[in-house]
Amino acid sequence: ENEIRVEAMISTRPDLDEDGLTQVEHCSIARLCRSPRSVAEISAELEIPLQVAKIVLGDMVETGLVVVHRTTGLTGGSSHLALMERVLGGLRRL
C-alpha cells in the first residue's frame, strides 16, 4: 500500500473541472488545494480526521484529481523548514 504521508504536499490538477465533482469531500479538497497544502493542513482545515483525509486523498490521487508533490529530504534547507512549520501548524489545529 502506498500511503500518503502527513507532510506530503497535495495540489489540484490545473485542468480539473471542479463542477464535475460529485462528492462533497472531493469538491472541498479541490478548492482548498488550488495552492499546495499538506495532508495535515487539509485535515485541519476541513475538520476531518487525518486517516479519513488520507483515504479520500488516496482516492483522488488514483483518479487523477489531485497531484502529490514529492517532498524533498532533509537537504531542503529553508523551504523544508517552512514546510515543516506548516505541517506543525496543521497538526496543532487538529
Side-chain angles (χ1 to χ4, degrees), residues 15-86:
D15 58 345
L16 179 67
D17 177 15
E18 291 178 27
D19 295 333
L21 298 177
T22 55
Q23 294 188 32
V24 174
E25 297 87 355
H26 289 189
C27 293
S28 300
I29 290 172
R31 277 194 299 274
L32 187 63
C33 293
R34 287 178 184 152
S35 59
R37 306 276 182 157
S38 71
V39 174
E41 287 178 290
I42 295 164
S43 172
E45 287 284 329
L46 300 180
E47 299 180 349
I48 57 176
L50 197 51
Q51 206 53 40
V52 173
K54 286 175 154 185
I55 291 168
V56 174
L57 286 165
D59 291 345
M60 292 180 77
V61 168
E62 281 183 25
T63 54
L65 301 175
V66 295
V67 177
V68 178
H69 300 277
R70 299 290 163 219
T71 51
T72 60
L74 293 174
T75 58
S78 63
S79 64
H80 181 73
L81 182 59
L83 165 64
M84 296 315 297
E85 287 173 350
R86 287 179 63 186

